[in-house]
Structure formats: structure tokens, C-alpha cells
């Protein structure tokens, strides 16, 4: 199943997009696709209602696509989780997952404008596999059980301002990650049962139609199961929490490409998870 939120910012409607391309209104089942939805077996309730034919059709024509989940309680990010990206960043591959936080209010729709912060000269793109937590995860016993805690997967653009992140940060990356609009998400949340192997997904990005990133989640240093297990040892993961799992090589930080400026268009795609498109605007 593909879960969506469609409508004006702040007034999105929860929607199901099924395999036939038909949209269905979930407003009778849930107020939103939020932590309460995941904690209350929302995915199974949607599945049952769809199978029973009880969901009303939804007309999505011409409507804005919002992020597929309501604002999460936390956005956890993993840095340098692809060896080639670590190298282009001038760092050695980490021996343990590098975790940092991103402000939850950075999460916006997949096609919303991205605002370049005032004073920014180094706004950058990062295509990432995003994981949404489906149930509370605390001190998991091993990575073997970790994927059972996943509600679904989506595309995230972990937009970054490198000067804020590196040279003005005092060592804390969140400063360069938390500007408004810096986490486009979606268009869909694809439920975990429809992603056979999260480590076999091609992920790509383009700027103004020119290729930038082209890699596979198979190249992650720490796979999704390991990340969830490791995170559960140091924090409690709650239903609806968002995890950005890292980006592959091909970003502007490498020095091979210019940073983003107003008027640029960024596009991102992951196999089976859809496609994003953002216009860069000055804040």
C-alpha cells in the first residue's frame, strides 16, 4: 500500500493510493497519518477497509501532495553511511553509525519549494531512503528483529547547508540541517510489506536535469536493520518517528558540482518509492 497526505499545507487529508492507481479517502478511519495512526494498527485497519471495499474514492486531481506522515516527534539522521560519500566529504568510513537530529518542522511535501536560508552559499541536496517507525523500539535484542518495527519507506531529501553544518557548527551537524523546508518527504509511504529488500533499491538525484547521484542502498555501511537496532540502544524509537539513513556520493560538498541557487530544480527518485521535484527559492 501507498499512504499519502493530500491537500493544502496544514490541512492535508489522509489518502490511500492502491495498486490500480485509485485514490481512497482515509478520513473515516483516521484524522491523520500520525503517531496515533501507527500505534493503533492503522496500516492493518486501512488494509482491511480496502479489502472490504468500504473506503470512499478520493479525487486528487490538481491537489498538492504533502509529506506522507504528519510532523514526526523526531527526525533521526545517519551521516556518512555510504563509503564513497564519506570519502568525498574528506572523512574515513565510520566504525559506528553517526547519528544527528534534524528539526521535525523541516518535513515538507515532496514537491514543495525548498527555501535557501538567508546568508547561505552552500545549500546542498542528499537523496536518502527514509524509514518510518511503526511501533515502539527500545533495546532490541538484535538486528534480526529490527525490520519488524518498520511501518514503511519513503524518499527524503536531507537538504543541508554545509557552511552552517561544518564551519559554523561547533561540531554539531544539526545547525546545517534544520532550516525550514530542509526535509522534503514522499510522495508516498510504501508499507514495509511491499519493499522486499530495503538494501536493493536504486536511488538517484538530478539538478536542473543533470545527473548527480546514482547508487544503491546495497552500498550502505550500516544497513537498515543494523541502524534500527543500534538506535534502539541509545534512544527510544516511537511510532511515526522518521529515520533518514544516509546519502551516497554525488553531492556538491564533493567539489565536483556547484551548490544550489534560487531557480535550481532538484529531482530525486528511489525504486518503487516514487519521485520528488523541488524548486529552490530564496528565503
Amino acid at each position: 500500500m501507498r499512504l499519502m497526505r493530500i491537500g493544502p499545507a496544514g490541512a492535508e487529508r489522509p489518502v490511500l493510493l492502491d495498486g490500480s492507481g485509485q485514490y481512497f479517502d482515509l478520513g473515516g478511519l483516521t484524522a491523520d497519518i500520525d503517531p496515533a495512526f501507527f500505534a493503533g494498527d492503522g496500516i492493518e485497519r486501512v488494509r482491511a477497509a480496502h479489502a472490504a471495499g468500504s473506503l470512499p474514492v478520493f479525487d486528487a486531481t490538481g491537489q498538492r501532495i504533502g509529506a506522507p506522515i504528519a510532523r514526526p516527534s523526531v527526525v533521526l539522521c545517519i551521516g556518512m553511511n555510504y563509503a564513497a560519500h564519506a570519502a568525498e566529504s574528506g572523512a574515513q568510513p565510520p566504525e559506528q553509525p553517526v547519528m544527528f537530529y534534524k528539526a521535525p518542522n523541516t518535513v515538507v511535501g515532496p514537491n514543495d519549494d525548498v527555501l535557501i536560508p538567508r546568508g547561505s552559499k552552500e545549500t546542498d541536496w542528499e537523496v536518502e531512503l527514509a524509514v518510518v517507525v511503526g511501533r515502539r523500539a527500545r533495546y532490541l535484542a538484535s538486528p534480526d528483529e529490527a525490520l519488524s518495527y518498520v511501518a514503511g519507506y519513503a524518499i527524503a531529501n536531507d537538504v543541508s547547508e554545509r557552511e552552517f553544518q561544518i564551519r559554523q557548527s561547533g561540531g554539531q551537524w544539526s545547525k546545517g540541517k534544520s532550516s525550514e523546508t530542509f526535509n522534503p518527504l514522499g510522495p508516498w509511504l510504501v508499507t514495509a510489506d511491499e519493499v522486499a529488500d530495503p538494501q536493493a533499491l536504486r536511488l538517484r538525484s538530478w539538478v536542473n536535469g543533470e545527473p548527480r547521484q546514482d547508487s544503491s542502498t546495497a552500498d550502505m555501511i550500516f544497513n537498515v536493520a543494523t541502524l534500527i537496532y543500534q538506535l534502539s540502544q541509545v534512544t527510544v524509537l516511537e511510532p511515526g518517528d522518521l529515520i533518514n539513513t544516509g546519502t551516497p556520493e554525488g553531492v556538491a560538498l564533493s567539489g565536483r558540482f556547484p551548490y544550489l541557487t534560487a531557480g535550481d530544480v532538484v529531482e530525486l527518485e528511489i525504486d518503487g518509492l516514487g519521485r520528488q521535484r523541488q524548486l529552490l527559492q530564496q528565503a
Side-chain angles (χ1 to χ4, degrees):
M1 296 191 301
R2 291 173 286 180
L3 301 176
M4 303 181 69
R5 296 168 67 251
I6 295 178
E12 295 92 345
R13 190 81 174 171
V15 171
L16 167 68
L17 174 61
D18 74 4
S20 71
Q22 181 68 63
Y23 296 87
F24 295 94
D25 191 343
L26 301 180
L29 286 179
T30 183
D32 210 340
I33 302 174
D34 56 10
F37 171 82
F38 295 111
D41 293 324
I43 290 176
E44 291 310 313
R45 289 189 288 115
V46 169
R47 197 185 312 278
H50 182 250
S54 61
L55 296 174
V57 171
F58 181 85
D59 184 6
T61 306
Q63 296 208 52
R64 169 186 174 269
I65 299 173
I69 60 171
R71 182 181 296 180
S73 61
V74 70
V75 180
L76 284 163
C77 303
I78 305 300
M80 298 188 296
N81 197 28
Y82 291 75
H85 174 59
E88 73 177 357
S89 303
Q92 293 296 316
E95 296 182 0
Q96 294 290 329
V98 176
M99 183 186 85
F100 62 93
Y101 288 90
K102 192 161 191 164
N105 65 359
T106 59
V107 176
V108 295
N111 304 319
D112 289 348
D113 291 348
V114 167
L115 301 181
I116 298 174
R118 295 180 184 181
S120 169
K121 296 179 181 179
E122 297 184 359
T123 297
D124 208 346
W125 61 89
E126 292 190 359
V127 62
E128 305 201 9
L129 175 66
V131 176
V132 175
V133 177
R135 57 195 178 104
R136 197 170 194 255
R138 174 180 178 270
Y139 294 117
L140 299 186
S142 80
D144 294 339
E145 62 177 322
L147 293 185
S148 70
Y149 288 79
V150 175
Y153 301 91
I155 305 171
N157 186 359
D158 179 17
V159 185
S160 309
E161 211 297 331
R162 303 303 187 185
E163 184 172 0
F164 300 172
Q165 176 190 349
I166 299 169
R167 293 187 296 282
Q168 296 183 16
S169 67
Q172 299 293 324
W173 288 0
S174 296
K175 187 174 182 179
K177 298 283 189 171
S178 293
S179 296
E180 58 185 333
T181 72
F182 264 29
N183 204 116
L185 185 69
W188 318 305
L189 178 69
V190 178
T191 52
D193 60 293
E194 294 197 3
V195 179
D197 183 358
Q199 305 309 143
L201 302 175
R202 186 182 183 188
L203 62 175
R204 292 179 286 172
S205 68
W206 298 260
V207 176
N208 299 327
E210 298 180 357
R212 290 294 185 260
Q213 296 170 280
D214 188 351
S215 189
S216 168
T217 55
D219 296 331
M220 285 184 183
I221 297 171
F222 305 103
N223 64 24
V224 173
T226 298
L227 291 175
I228 293 171
Y229 164 72
Q230 293 274 11
L231 290 172
S232 79
Q233 308 305 304
V234 298
T235 190
V236 178
L237 301 174
E238 300 286 359
D241 284 355
L242 180 65
I243 304 171
N244 291 338
T245 59
T247 198
E249 66 175 320
V251 297
L253 180 63
S254 68
R256 294 186 288 133
F257 308 109
Y259 286 103
L260 298 170
T261 58
D264 285 341
V265 173
V266 176
E267 296 172 277
L268 310 97
E269 184 174 283
I270 299 180
D271 287 352
L273 304 185
R275 191 178 178 100
Q276 298 185 354
R277 182 185 188 276
Q278 295 110 36
L279 174 66
L280 275 291
Q281 302 271 29
Q282 185 63 51

